[in-house]
Amino acid sequence: MKPRHLPLRPFDPHAVWLEAVTDQERKLQKSAIYGCALYRFYDASRSPLYIGISRNLPDRWNWHRCNTDWQARARYVAVSFYPTRYGAYVAEAAAIRRENPQFNVMRPKPRRGWRAVDESLYIPPPPQLADEG
């Protein structure tokens, strides 16, 4: 099964943490089809701030809000859902390598044969907001 990519959308870093996730994101995350989400946060100029994966977006985003300085700068988010955590992990590593977000300190370690997998699973972020196209 292929990943499901949602369009870039505005993000309110001050929203109540349970409301920061949309109904569609919540529904996809709870489905039996998708096991893990990859998320990309962007600042007001749409420069990448942070890329991560999680099985529970509200909890993870709340952790970022409580433990990082960068989340206050987040104005946009794009979320993709993957059937497996491994698929999300590989896509995350590829996205971090390609997009070089400002606040990703930890870099996933390449594995043997990484480039072939990396290139085949890399999905670029949505270029625009859903209502801009």
Side-chain angles (χ1 to χ4, degrees), residues 95-112:
I96 290 169
R97 271 196 27 231
R98 290 235 182 147
E99 298 166 39
N100 197 26
Q102 185 176 356
F103 292 98
N104 277 91
V105 179
M106 300 294 290
R107 305 287 177 178
K109 294 180 182 179
R111 293 187 176 152
R112 188 178 199 201

Side-chain angles (χ1 to χ4, degrees), residues 81-92:
F81 292 89
Y82 288 79
T84 66
R85 185 167 179 83
Y86 178 75
Y89 172 82
V90 172
E92 174 196 31

Side-chain angles (χ1 to χ4, degrees), residues 57-123:
L57 290 175
D59 283 351
R60 184 66 175 148
W61 292 359
N62 187 52
W63 185 92
H64 287 307
R65 183 172 70 172
C66 295
N67 295 289
T68 67
D69 295 329
W70 61 261
Q71 195 177 24
R73 295 173 47 190
R75 295 295 177 268
Y76 298 98
V77 66
V79 182
S80 300
F81 292 89
Y82 288 79
T84 66
R85 185 167 179 83
Y86 178 75
Y89 172 82
V90 172
E92 174 196 31
I96 290 169
R97 271 196 27 231
R98 290 235 182 147
E99 298 166 39
N100 197 26
Q102 185 176 356
F103 292 98
N104 277 91
V105 179
M106 300 294 290
R107 305 287 177 178
K109 294 180 182 179
R111 293 187 176 152
R112 188 178 199 201
W114 186 259
R115 288 204 181 260
V117 173
D118 177 359
E119 296 307 313
S120 67
L121 290 179
Y122 175 73
I123 303 293

